[in-house]
Amino acid sequence: HTCAINSSNRVICWGENYRGQLGDGTGGTSGDYIAHAVVVNIAGAYTASAVSAGLLHTCAVIDGGVKCWGYGRFGRLGNNDPAEATQLSPVDVSGMTAGAGVTMVAAGNGQTCALDTTPTPQIYCWGLNADGQLGQNPAALAQSRVPVAVPGLSGMNATRLDADDNHACIVLGGGSMECWGGNDFGQLGTGATGDVWGPQNDVCHP
């Protein structure tokens, strides 16, 4: 599926909707899809500033907070739901409601990450942590249904944030890049393989 922000600052999505990843209140059945853009089901007036489509879920920055929808397994929606239920319409990420100061969000496969600038810039992630994609030791934290801070990334000047299947990366204001998570195929660019969590590793220096 694909999502975008239209000229009215509303979130629109189209494509596969098996897990409700289009967020319009429909879907949830195998084979469901919508071949044209639909408006995500967010009530009232709002301003969307960022949106990211993961594999089976979607998250957006709405008025400085984060809302997510779609497949809820592993806590990837961040709404602290013990049932990890699929959500056909957006739900608030725990601790990141409107006005929270979030500026970036990145949805991967089983995880999501966001940059919250208040009170100081910090990357938070939630969802699956089997490969350290939340920046935490998987032996201590297999998953999280609420945002957890990625260690070593407080106060940084991030200009871009992205998440993939089992890892995430940020670009810093000085042009350096930090990545963490799954690294079986060297996707973190550190010059070695093996999952990475905790203190981050500078990459992009051949």
Side-chain angles (χ1 to χ4, degrees), residues 69-173:
W69 56 94
Y71 195 35
R73 191 178 181 195
F74 302 125
R76 72 190 78 192
L77 302 185
N79 62 330
N80 200 21
D81 176 16
E84 300 179 358
T86 290
Q87 300 291 336
L88 305 183
S89 294
V91 293
D92 287 324
V93 171
S94 181
M96 292 186 173
T97 55
V102 179
T103 59
M104 302 179 193
V105 67
N109 181 353
Q111 87 283 12
T112 310
C113 296
L115 170 63
D116 191 345
T117 61
T118 305
T120 185
Q122 174 68 58
I123 298 291
Y124 292 90
C125 298
W126 56 92
L128 184 64
N129 192 48
D131 299 299
Q133 54 264 60
L134 304 188
Q136 316 290 322
N137 185 340
L141 184 70
Q143 67 178 67
S144 179
R145 296 192 295 265
V146 298
V148 293
V150 177
L153 292 179
S154 177
M156 77 295 153
N157 178 23
T159 61
R160 183 176 175 87
L161 168 67
D162 201 5
D164 207 332
D165 181 21
N166 63 351
H167 70 288
C169 295
I170 60 170
V171 178
L172 300 176

Side-chain angles (χ1 to χ4, degrees), residues 169-196:
C169 295
I170 60 170
V171 178
L172 300 176
S176 62
M177 178 181 283
E178 304 281 342
C179 297
W180 61 95
N183 193 38
D184 289 347
F185 303 101
Q187 59 263 50
L188 302 188
T190 62
T193 58
D195 299 345
V196 173

